[in-house]
Amino acid sequence: MDNLATSIYRVILDNSLVGIVLLQKRHIILTNKKMAELFGYDALEEMLGNTTRILYRSEADFEESGRIIYSDLAKGKETKLEFIGKRKDGSEFWCLLTGKSVNPGEASGADSVWICQDITKEKEVDMMKTDFISTVSHELRTPLTSILGFANIISKKFKDTIYPALNTEDKKTKKTADQIESNLNIIISEGRRLTFLINDVLDIAKMEAGKIEWKDERFTAQYAIEHAVSATSYLFQAKGLGIITDIEDGLSEIHADKDRFIQVVINLLSNAVKFTDKGDITVRAKSDKDFVLISVSDNGIGISKENLNKVFEKFKQVGDTLTDKPEGTGLGLPICRQIVEHYGGKIWAESMEGKGSTFYFTAPRYLGKTGTARIKDFIEQLKNSAPPALIYSGVSKNILIVDDDGSIRRLLRQELEYAGYITDEAAEGLEALNKIKHKKYDLIILDVMMPGLNGFDVARILKNSPDTMDIPIIILSVVEDKETGFKIGVERYLIKGAEYPQLLNEVNGLLGSETQN
Ligand SMILES: Nc1ncnc2c1ncn2[C@@H]1O[C@H](COP(=O)(O)OP(=O)(O)OP(=O)(O)O)[C@@H](O)[C@H]1O
Ligand SMILES: [Mg+2]
């Protein structure tokens, strides 16, 4: 019988399509052909007896993986690890290990069995996908900005100028006018929805590609929860649901990017509302070792056990999505997960179908001392804060709009001229510098990505010349690199979004306060 079992194991090992390895104190004591093939060894004997160090690029990687793996193994949990494997000839590939301890509980000395797969292709596809998504989303945002911006202008002009001049006594005219107004509102609200979607897609693509600027801030759970609750209050009102908050006394501050954590709470609250018909939603915060544990509970439709982990995957919406497709795209929770995991935390859900769900996540507690962080936060806040919006007529103030996209220039012109400013445009950096040389402008709105001289270079030249250094510059771009902008000395840095009330506020603020000096 023993012989038979051994032969069966041998056949399985020899023909397996995945690498298999048995480890004792991180030494390879049994392995198979596929494993040798993956790591470029000619014979199993070359691997046997070695430590798994031979599979890693560096000592640091080897140690890091040990740290990750062994605490899980000791608990008897199945463990997964992605790492860059090193072949015998030194070449590298992406490797996925899945394994389990044979004798859990025996901490560091545990024996373990592992399956090993080459996932280089999947990784490459994933990276291409991320790149593709972020490029496409950027490209979508620019035309959408024009569409939504013009729709807003048309709607405003229609209400302010055309509608009052119409003969609304005439039923047909009135009906048509009402229709136009309602159609415009649909364009605007659908445009906004599309903007949210594109922003979500872009957000997650950037997080995956590690291209997010994470701010270093301190804030209380109370602050984040209050902001999230007020941001979602219209949802609660619309469905007649109540909200209960329960925050532990004396809870330490959280140390992370404030807006990102508010975003997590907002996503969880909006899900809770979306999938709940009556009752209250409860948000709790309490301390949990080095973390603050926050939870959002509802008594809504719940999630089945098998779907509980799937909901954190991109574009996953569970339930019968064909018959009752929920609103949204299935990106809320994956975004939450990216944010929470970025700070070394965890996010998970507990649920009973028909009874309700609770989503939990951990946020890092502030552990350091007070002082420098405060000052840094303060400077950051000063840089980011908009001056109070002043109502300013704008008469006789000249603004130069620099953007290579013609429709954005036209849109900005209309918005600014509507507010009473005089505008001029330039389609590229050199043209802008030329115009500034020959005419005095009171403010410049500047795009970053332009052919030839880019916006940062234009700003650098202007801010370094005594004649032009006092002209306020507002950068308006899809490029999210505020740091560079502020280093050069631009006054404001706005990201191209879909609407411009904020831009107008900034323009009014910068020009208004100037006249008061
Ligand atoms: N509180 C909840 N109760 C029941 N099901 C939930 C709850 N929260 C999430 N889900 C399920 O998880 C899915 C994924 O949620 P997620 O927030 O990622 O996407 P979404 O809400 O559908 O869309 P989006 O957030 O992108 O607008 C939901 O579609 C729903 O099926
Ligand atoms: Mg959601």
Side-chain angles (χ1 to χ4, degrees):
M1 189 61 198
D2 258 5
N3 270 345
L4 180 62
T6 313
S7 316
I8 292 173
Y9 284 138
R10 203 64 259 168
V11 171
I12 293 173
L13 284 175
D14 284 352
N15 295 293
S16 167
L17 295 176
V18 292
I20 298 174
V21 62
L22 176 65
L23 302 181
Q24 210 163 45
K25 296 190 178 159
R26 299 194 89 177
H27 280 74
I28 303 170
I29 57 164
L30 182 134
T31 187
N32 71 341
K33 273 189 198 154
K34 182 66 190 182
M35 188 74 184
E37 186 190 304
L38 281 175
F39 284 88
Y41 290 89
D42 305 318
L44 302 186
E45 288 70 27
E46 288 181 74
M47 303 184 84
L48 292 174
N50 278 301
T51 64
T52 50
R53 194 176 270 110
I54 60 164
L55 311 179
Y56 291 88
R57 294 188 292 183
S58 65
E59 187 66 24
D61 277 12
F62 171 69
E63 279 172 15
E64 172 69 16
S65 91
R67 261 194 299 279
I68 300 172
I69 287 174
Y70 278 90
S71 77
D72 271 0
L73 283 185
K75 291 178 205 143
K77 279 204 275 188
E78 185 181 281
T79 306
K80 278 188 193 288
L81 176 78
E82 286 180 2
F83 73 100
I84 297 178
K86 189 189 81 182
R87 296 196 190 90
K88 185 180 163 191
D89 65 6
S91 60
E92 295 173 355
F93 69 105
W94 270 101
C95 184
L96 170 68
L97 281 180
T98 313
K100 215 173 167 173
S101 167
V102 179
N103 44 0
E106 268 179 55
S108 59
D111 302 344
S112 51
V113 186
W114 296 91
I115 283 173
C116 181
Q117 286 158 288
D118 182 345
I119 52 163
T120 311
K121 279 235 159 59
E122 287 89 327
K123 280 274 166 195
E124 278 169 6
V125 170
D126 226 43
M127 250 139 83
M128 267 166 55
K129 207 174 60 191
T130 305
D131 270 1
F132 173 77
I133 289 175
S134 71
T135 315
V136 169
S137 315
H138 265 146
E139 294 303 311
L140 290 175
R141 269 218 288 206
T142 308
L144 187 59
T145 305
S146 311
I147 294 173
L148 204 43
F150 281 121
N152 271 320
I153 291 180
I154 295 171
S155 160
K156 240 186 313 186
K157 286 189 177 164
F158 186 75
K159 266 186 232 142
D160 295 353
T161 320
I162 312 250
Y163 202 84
L166 283 179
N167 174 12
T168 40
E169 306 274 284
D170 176 31
K171 271 205 181 124
K172 203 166 161 209
T173 311
K174 179 160 186 336
K175 198 173 158 205
T176 313
D178 288 345
Q179 260 169 2
I180 291 177
E181 197 181 353
S182 111
N183 292 356
L184 275 172
N185 286 340
I186 294 174
I187 295 177
I188 292 170
S189 74
E190 289 296 282
R192 278 199 194 123
R193 206 156 67 90
L194 194 53
T195 312
F196 285 135
L197 169 60
I198 292 172
N199 286 344
D200 271 2
V201 171
L202 195 57
D203 239 20
I204 197 150
K206 275 194 304 196
M207 283 183 200
E208 285 178 352
K211 285 187 189 152
I212 284 264
E213 282 180 43
W214 300 92
K215 284 196 222 119
D216 195 13
E217 295 170 313
R218 290 169 46 194
F219 55 97
T220 59
Q222 171 122 20
Y223 175 91
I225 291 171
E226 273 171 11
H227 269 70
V229 168
S230 78
T232 48
S233 59
Y234 69 100
L235 296 173
F236 281 90
Q237 278 157 18
K239 283 191 100 174
L241 298 171
I243 172 100
I244 298 170
T245 53
D246 173 10
I247 297 164
E248 193 179 87
D249 281 340
L251 197 56
S252 349
E253 283 181 299
I254 296 169
H255 186 187
D257 189 319
K258 193 171 62 203
D259 292 333
R260 293 289 170 190
F261 271 89
I262 295 176
Q263 189 182 1
V264 174
V265 185
I266 289 179
N267 282 350
L268 296 183
L269 282 176
S270 63
N271 281 351
V273 173
K274 198 177 343 179
F275 300 103
T276 305
D277 284 329
K278 53 176 189 289
D280 295 326
I281 283 154
T282 309
V283 193
R284 290 195 176 84
K286 57 178 195 164
S287 83
D288 179 29
K289 292 189 206 123
D290 286 349
F291 289 94
V292 172
L293 177 68
I294 298 178
S295 65
V296 176
S297 312
D298 63 58
N299 38 34
I301 60 169
I303 303 165
S304 70
K305 214 169 168 192
E306 76 220 44
N307 283 327
L308 219 43
N309 287 324
K310 289 196 194 141
V311 295
F312 294 99
E313 288 167 26
K314 276 179 282 180
F315 302 111
K316 267 280 170 353
Q317 299 183 305
V318 302
D320 193 351
T321 42
L322 280 182
T323 49
D324 54 12
K325 167 118 181 59
E327 240 182 63
T329 30
L331 283 173
L333 290 175
I335 289 177
C336 293
R337 183 165 80 174
Q338 289 278 346
I339 295 170
V340 171
E341 290 183 353
H342 175 80
Y343 287 99
K346 284 204 162 103
I347 181 164
W348 71 98
E350 287 168 5
S351 183
M352 282 249 280
E353 263 185 296
K355 290 261 186 299
S357 322
T358 301
F359 281 79
Y360 298 88
F361 70 91
T362 55
R365 214 150 65 79
Y366 181 71
L367 300 169
K369 288 199 175 68
T370 11
T372 47
R374 274 274 153 92
I375 294 169
K376 235 177 99 192
D377 284 356
F378 184 63
I379 293 172
E380 191 65 26
Q381 272 171 15
L382 272 183
K383 276 187 193 162
N384 286 332
S385 67
L390 298 171
I391 310 290
Y392 178 66
S393 72
V395 180
S396 82
K397 293 275 174 179
N398 282 302
I399 299 177
L400 179 64
I401 300 161
V402 191
D403 198 307
D404 57 332
D405 187 313
S407 47
I408 297 277
R409 289 199 306 273
R410 260 198 307 284
L411 171 61
L412 290 176
R413 273 194 102 138
Q414 288 197 26
E415 283 273 3
L416 293 167
E417 283 173 5
Y418 200 67
Y421 293 103
I422 300 166
T423 62
D424 214 339
E425 26 180 304
E428 41 143 333
L430 280 179
E431 188 191 341
L433 289 178
N434 228 344
K435 289 207 155 151
I436 295 164
K437 226 195 293 175
H438 293 106
K439 185 170 168 184
K440 188 187 166 306
Y441 290 98
D442 299 292
L443 187 140
I444 297 162
I445 296 175
L446 187 59
D447 184 24
V448 171
M449 275 200 288
M450 291 183 292
L453 205 57
N454 72 46
F456 286 146
D457 291 336
V458 173
R460 242 178 237 119
I461 294 169
L462 294 175
K463 289 294 177 193
N464 280 314
S465 151
D467 294 340
T468 52
M469 67 199 308
D470 292 331
I471 308 175
I473 297 179
I474 300 180
I475 287 194
L476 179 66
S477 169
V478 289
V479 179
E480 294 185 34
D481 187 2
K482 293 192 182 177
E483 210 182 319
T484 306
F486 287 131
K487 263 191 204 140
I488 296 170
V490 306
E491 275 68 13
R492 299 283 180 272
Y493 198 121
L494 301 179
I495 308 299
K496 269 185 196 164
E499 287 162 291
Y500 286 110
Q502 200 196 348
L503 176 76
L504 208 55
N505 266 352
E506 300 286 11
V507 171
N508 288 339
L510 285 168
L511 291 179
S513 54
E514 218 187 28
T515 52
Q516 284 167 3
N517 284 338

